[in-house]
Amino acid sequence: MSLAHEFLMKHRMEPERIVPAEQAEKMAEDMLRGLKGQPSSLPMIATYLSNDGAVPAGACAAVIDAGGTNFRSALVCFGDGGYQVEELNRWKMPGIEKPCTWDEFIAFTADHVQHLLDRADVIGFCFSYNADITPDMDGRVKRIDKEVVVNGCEGKLVGASLKAELERRGIRGKKVVILNDTVAALLGGSSTLDKSAYSGFIGQISGTGTNTCTSVPRRMIEKLGLSGEQGMLINLESGMYDGIEDGDFDLLLDKASNNPGMKFFEKKTAGVYLGELCRLMLLAAGEEGLLSPGSAGKIRALGRIDSAVIDAWSQGKGLEQASDNEADAAFVQELSLAMFQRSARCMCVNLLAIALLTGAGKDKPVCVCAEGSLVQRSRYYRPTLEALLDSEGLEKLGLHFEFHVGSETTLPGSAAAALLNG
């Protein structure tokens, strides 16, 4: 056993501690409690959206994507077997450079979408902030964060506010559908696929943050008093799951975070945290005398690092940033790899749990529509996750998965949400 692996085991951080096939049932049970409205770490947020049917050829929707940094608008038109994004424009989110009011944010939104509405009667609005979705597919804002300051936003209805502003400008009769980025990834990724080839769909965000969504029968969502088999898309907010055992450095990172006691799963899996977890481990390894004084000094001088840094270290690149000899470089590389392997094992638990909850993946594969920097750019994350889905899902549980990794799927996904549900 290597010195690095002994260190990981001592601090309960070794990837093999997480056995997805054994832990998926526990997470599925927590999902079910969330659907029933019982105490659960997973809120299982109803979107009131469906992924049923196919977007008709020739249909167009105006789309808005309000993200943590950028605000985008475009027109998305669907044809036979594909879609086209037209008139795409990008601006800085209002409220980044200086605070703005809710009315100013809505006026900004109307300014940048109204020129598209002579060609579209529906608007798909990907709103990547905390909002409760209403039965008419509007979103009531709980908070806007991510360094964006919009005063007076709490409690406001996004779609109703935009419609009122458009009507003030003489534009009437438009339908606005609100959704988040994980749901948009599912709808965008599946919009051009043959849906009959799959037993279910999962939307997966593995990037700066972590989340998943899926479709469940309405009869399962007991907290809403619904019945019937028609599927409804559910935003799991799976970054909040608390059922994976914490290691020593998970606890240390959580204590130092700006949201202690929250998002335990995201802190084990998301790109924004993996580099910091690795840095905390390397600092401790230096203090425990497992690294040379020179290497320990380099690590102390690093400051906060992100997942791109440890992805390079995993490949053996840039190791001189954290080591001054060959043995310490190997130690740094092994710990870096372990963070991606551990993250992939956690996500495998998540995906297996969804399949167990919904009964999908037995006769036909579950389609995982994935997006985000980890799944798109990390050399190790996606191959590790796919190998785990084979060994833990297919071989142990008989569950089949098929990955479709997309890029910029929030725009077609927002359009599909509006056209399939508007």
Side-chain angles (χ1 to χ4, degrees), residues 159-417:
S161 297
L162 178 56
K163 285 176 65 176
E165 176 62 20
L166 291 172
E167 288 172 2
R168 191 184 68 79
R169 302 179 184 203
I171 302 171
R172 294 178 171 81
K174 305 301 180 181
K175 171 72 176 180
V176 183
V177 172
I178 307 298
L179 68 162
N180 82 346
D181 55 353
T182 313
V183 176
L186 186 157
L187 290 166
S190 65
S191 63
T192 59
L193 298 177
D194 176 8
K195 293 179 183 177
S196 67
Y198 302 97
S199 57
F201 290 86
I202 297 173
Q204 175 195 340
I205 297 294
S206 286
T208 303
T210 297
N211 196 14
T212 50
C213 69
T214 194
S215 179
V216 302
R218 289 174 178 252
R219 60 175 170 75
M220 294 180 66
I221 316 172
E222 295 182 18
K223 62 184 177 183
L224 301 181
L226 299 172
S227 61
E229 291 299 322
Q230 183 185 10
M232 180 192 289
L233 293 174
I234 296 292
N235 168 17
L236 277 69
E237 287 297 333
S238 53
M240 299 177 69
Y241 181 55
D242 63 6
I244 303 290
E245 179 187 2
D246 290 318
D248 292 344
F249 300 103
D250 298 313
L251 298 172
L252 189 61
L253 182 145
D254 177 66
K255 185 177 180 180
S257 70
N258 61 7
N259 56 351
M262 298 176 62
K263 297 202 170 182
F264 294 101
F265 189 82
E266 185 166 80
K267 288 170 182 171
K268 294 178 179 69
T269 57
V272 71
Y273 295 114
L274 296 184
E276 180 65 4
L277 273 176
C278 191
R279 187 182 74 89
L280 291 172
M281 289 194 296
L282 290 171
L283 285 171
E287 292 169 0
E288 293 177 21
L290 302 179
L291 301 173
S292 74
S295 296
K298 286 187 171 188
I299 292 160
R300 286 195 299 271
L302 280 174
R304 193 177 182 97
I305 58 177
D306 61 21
S307 61
V309 173
I310 66 168
D311 193 65
W313 290 351
S314 298
Q315 300 174 53
K317 300 176 181 178
L319 290 168
E320 67 279 359
Q321 295 173 293
S323 61
D324 68 355
N325 63 79
E326 192 172 312
D328 287 356
F331 188 99
V332 172
Q333 184 173 10
E334 187 170 347
L335 258 60
S336 300
L337 276 168
M339 290 301 90
F340 293 107
Q341 292 164 353
R342 189 170 183 258
S343 175
R345 282 179 171 269
C346 288
M347 180 52 68
C348 186
V349 173
N350 191 169
L351 299 179
L352 295 181
I354 291 173
L356 292 175
L357 176 78
T358 60
K362 296 175 182 176
D363 299 324
K364 293 186 286 188
V366 183
C367 179
V368 181
C369 300
E371 187 165 335
S373 56
L374 279 184
V375 76
Q376 290 173 251
R377 298 176 200 152
S378 169
R379 180 171 179 178
Y380 297 101
Y381 178 83
R382 179 183 173 184
T384 301
L385 177 54
E386 290 188 295
L388 284 165
L389 288 172
D390 282 340
S391 62
E392 296 287 314
L394 182 58
E395 294 177 16
K396 292 184 180 180
L397 300 176
L399 299 174
H400 302 249
F401 292 83
E402 184 176 307
F403 255 78
H404 282 269
V405 176
S407 177
E408 303 287 349
T409 55
T410 54
L411 295 178
S414 298

Side-chain angles (χ1 to χ4, degrees), residues 63-67 70-73 93 124-128 181 408 410-411 414:
V63 293
I64 300 163
D65 179 12
N70 295 311
F71 179 102
R72 300 185 298 165
S73 69
M93 271 289 293
F125 195 152
C126 183
F127 187 75
S128 298
D181 55 353
E408 303 287 349
T410 54
L411 295 178
S414 298

Side-chain angles (χ1 to χ4, degrees), residues 29-78:
E29 290 170 356
D30 204 33
M31 293 175 186
L32 187 58
R33 286 193 293 271
L35 291 174
K36 292 180 176 181
Q38 298 172 354
S40 167
S41 64
L42 293 167
M44 305 297 286
I45 300 169
T47 68
Y48 299 94
L49 297 171
S50 168
N51 189 32
D52 296 336
V55 178
C60 296
V63 293
I64 300 163
D65 179 12
T69 303
N70 295 311
F71 179 102
R72 300 185 298 165
S73 69
L75 187 77
V76 178
C77 296
F78 288 84

Side-chain angles (χ1 to χ4, degrees), residues 5 8-20 22-23 244-248 250 342 345 349:
H5 199 71
L8 289 166
M9 291 185 67
K10 173 185 175 182
H11 293 284
R12 297 174 296 126
M13 297 291 293
E14 76 276 19
E16 298 80 12
R17 183 176 288 266
I18 300 164
V19 184
E22 295 177 7
Q23 295 177 244
I244 303 290
E245 179 187 2
D246 290 318
D248 292 344
D250 298 313
R342 189 170 183 258
R345 282 179 171 269
V349 173

